[in-house]
Amino acid sequence: MATPVEKLVRSYLDHLTVERGASPNTVAAYRRDLARYTAFLAGRGIVDPAKVTEADVTAFLASLRAPTGGRAPLSVASATRSLVAVRSLHSFAAAEGRTPTNPAAAVHPPKAGRDLPKALDIAQVQALLDTPDAETPMGLRDAALLELLYGTGARISEVLDLDVDDVSPLLGDPEAGLRLFGKGRKERLVPVGSYARKAVEAWLVRGRAAFAQASSRPSAALFLNRKGLRLSRQSAYGVMQKAAAAAHLDLEVSPHTLRHSFATHLLDGGADVRVVQELLGHASVTTTQIYTLVTVEHLREVFLAAHPRAR
């Protein structure tokens, strides 16, 4: 039987889905964070949300930032995300009259140092894009995925949500843009370069059918797995890892790395930061401006390495 805390979490997740219209990815992230929190409280013998104190929430935050049971401590960003979920849960409970107070209201997230996005240089991106084998359906799919990620700066979820009909306009009109739906289902139109167009067309014409026939129920998804189903985020991450290994890139990469690289290379090329903001679908230019710091840092590194009197 579910404990009162577990029942509260279920109610809150339903509230996120139904009343606030949160995306499936957001709800899944909250579910993971709150499952960790519920387990932590259970370990302290707390099953009633009304019994949770500020000290309990503070102890939970501290546990996230400490190595336990062979698990590495969470990053500041991950710990902050978990705390946001906990604060939201308790705010919901207090507003609904399920608890007399909000014990998390005064618990603040840890302060983060400036963590600049990790971008590849142009040569590294080129090496990555050159790895898929264009003679196989798998290679055609991977090439289209990588080219589209780098060519549009899209989030991986935005690209994996695309259907074939969404990219059809690109094939007949070289001036057509691609409609993407970002956070909060905010729509934006982004241009698509010739390399990404050609890669998507090659996948649709010469590769996709080999994957589509594996399923008895045809999928409208642009990117498919071997079973003919929509490609998952985990599989897309695997595509990146495979490409990075083949390109001999000795660093951590993810689909988001190509988004970072897209923004950084545009700014390096002289693009206005507000144009990059629109292309990335950032609600605030402040979020985009962190990429200007990446380019400044790059200039500093080049200066220190190349100027004879820099050091």
Side-chain angles (χ1 to χ4, degrees):
M1 180 178 294
T3 67
V5 169
E6 292 169 338
K7 291 179 180 178
L8 173 63
V9 169
R10 290 177 187 173
S11 296
Y12 176 61
L13 293 175
D14 288 342
H15 167 76
L16 280 181
T17 303
V18 177
E19 297 186 33
R20 292 180 55 182
S23 71
N25 288 336
T26 297
V27 174
Y30 270 68
R31 180 177 287 107
R32 288 192 297 270
D33 290 331
L34 293 176
R36 182 184 288 120
Y37 180 56
T38 301
F40 174 83
L41 292 179
R44 294 168 74 92
I46 301 172
V47 295
D48 183 351
K51 300 294 185 182
V52 178
T53 66
E54 182 179 321
D56 294 318
V57 179
T58 301
F60 171 67
L61 178 60
S63 74
L64 298 178
R65 297 289 291 143
T68 54
R71 176 185 62 80
L74 294 187
S75 67
V76 170
S78 295
T80 297
R81 186 201 63 221
S82 291
L83 180 61
V84 167
V86 170
R87 284 167 59 101
S88 298
L89 174 72
H90 283 294
S91 177
F92 169 77
E96 292 285 308
R98 301 194 183 197
T99 59
T101 60
N102 178 353
V107 181
H108 300 291
K111 292 185 177 180
R114 192 185 300 276
D115 210 5
L116 299 181
K118 301 296 189 296
L120 304 176
D121 60 36
I122 294 176
Q124 289 172 323
V125 170
Q126 187 62 61
L128 196 73
L129 299 179
D130 286 343
T131 59
D133 181 0
E135 300 302 317
T136 67
M138 179 75 75
L140 290 169
R141 184 203 65 186
D142 294 352
L145 177 65
L146 296 176
E147 288 282 3
L148 204 54
L149 286 170
Y150 178 61
T152 64
R155 301 175 179 91
I156 185 59
S157 58
E158 295 170 346
V159 169
L160 295 182
D161 284 344
L162 290 173
D163 291 338
V164 173
D165 287 347
D166 296 324
V167 299
S168 295
L170 301 179
L171 308 184
D173 181 2
E175 302 299 321
L178 179 64
R179 293 192 180 279
L180 298 173
F181 292 88
K183 294 182 178 180
R185 297 298 293 170
K186 183 180 178 182
E187 181 181 341
R188 69 185 188 280
L189 185 68
V190 298
V192 181
S194 61
Y195 287 88
R197 288 173 185 271
K198 291 175 182 176
V200 169
E201 182 174 10
W203 157 242
L204 290 176
V205 173
R206 298 192 285 122
R208 188 178 180 279
F211 283 56
Q213 66 186 9
S215 174
S216 58
R217 300 178 62 183
S219 172
L222 172 61
F223 291 110
L224 303 176
N225 61 22
R226 290 181 181 273
K227 296 180 180 179
L229 305 176
R230 189 179 295 272
L231 193 68
S232 68
R233 291 167 65 97
Q234 183 177 4
S235 295
Y237 185 86
V239 170
M240 284 292 300
Q241 295 296 298
K242 177 182 175 183
H248 306 292
L249 299 182
D250 189 21
L251 39 84
E252 185 69 25
V253 297
S254 72
H256 221 64
T257 304
L258 289 178
R259 179 170 163 87
H260 294 323
S261 304
F262 168 87
T264 302
H265 297 167
L266 280 175
L267 290 169
D268 280 342
D272 182 87
V273 67
R274 291 197 177 273
V275 173
V276 178
Q277 175 196 355
E278 290 297 323
L279 292 173
L280 292 175
H282 286 159
S284 169
V285 73
T286 303
T287 307
T288 316
Q289 284 173 334
I290 191 170
Y291 291 102
T292 64
L293 298 175
V294 175
T295 60
V296 169
E297 185 68 18
H298 174 66
L299 289 175
R300 182 176 180 275
E301 290 176 358
V302 172
F303 169 71
L304 290 174
H307 196 284
R309 298 182 74 85
R311 298 182 182 276

